[in-house]
Amino acid sequence: MIKPRLIRPEIEAYMPETAMVMAAGLGKRMRPLTATRPKPLIEVAGKTLLDHTLDHLRAAGVKRAVVNAHYLADRLEGHLSSIKGIEIEISPLLLSAK
């Protein structure tokens, strides 16, 4: 796990305790890797993209992450059930940029 670090220690700033993680995309540009798993669960350097993101959020002092899940959401939910050190809420709503 990444060690907590001070962000801009010379400036006192408000750090949000909740973050939104967008993990609902279809991952079309990463096929065939995303044919059977959602893009956030693709491994890079031995960890999933989602785990890298959650590690950085923890290190920044975020206590809760709302993860937007849609494509292969059951796989994401299974993976997130084992996450420790940060509260996870799964949002099944498909957010759109339309």
Side-chain angles (χ1 to χ4, degrees):
M1 180 165 20
I2 296 175
K3 252 179 126 177
R5 63 178 176 216
L6 294 176
I7 297 176
R8 301 175 109 190
E10 70 280 356
I11 299 172
E12 185 143 342
Y14 169 76
M15 180 57 66
E17 292 187 359
T18 301
M20 179 81 185
V21 178
M22 307 303 247
L26 299 176
K28 289 181 178 180
R29 291 175 292 195
M30 298 200 72
R31 287 193 178 141
L33 295 174
T34 57
T36 59
R37 68 182 147 207
K39 183 169 64 174
L41 296 186
I42 291 176
E43 288 193 8
V44 175
K47 287 194 317 193
T48 67
L49 293 170
L50 184 57
D51 289 340
H52 283 287
T53 301
L54 294 174
D55 284 348
H56 286 288
L57 290 174
R58 268 189 226 101
V62 172
K63 308 242 182 304
R64 178 174 172 252
V66 179
V67 179
N68 180 234
H70 173 70
Y71 176 63
L72 299 174
D74 55 330
R75 300 269 315 263
L76 274 172
E77 289 175 23
H79 181 80
L80 290 168
S81 68
S82 66
I83 299 297
K84 304 232 186 299
I86 189 168
E87 178 187 342
I88 303 289
E89 180 180 330
I90 298 170
S91 170
L93 298 176
L94 181 58
L95 303 178
S96 176
K98 291 181 185 178

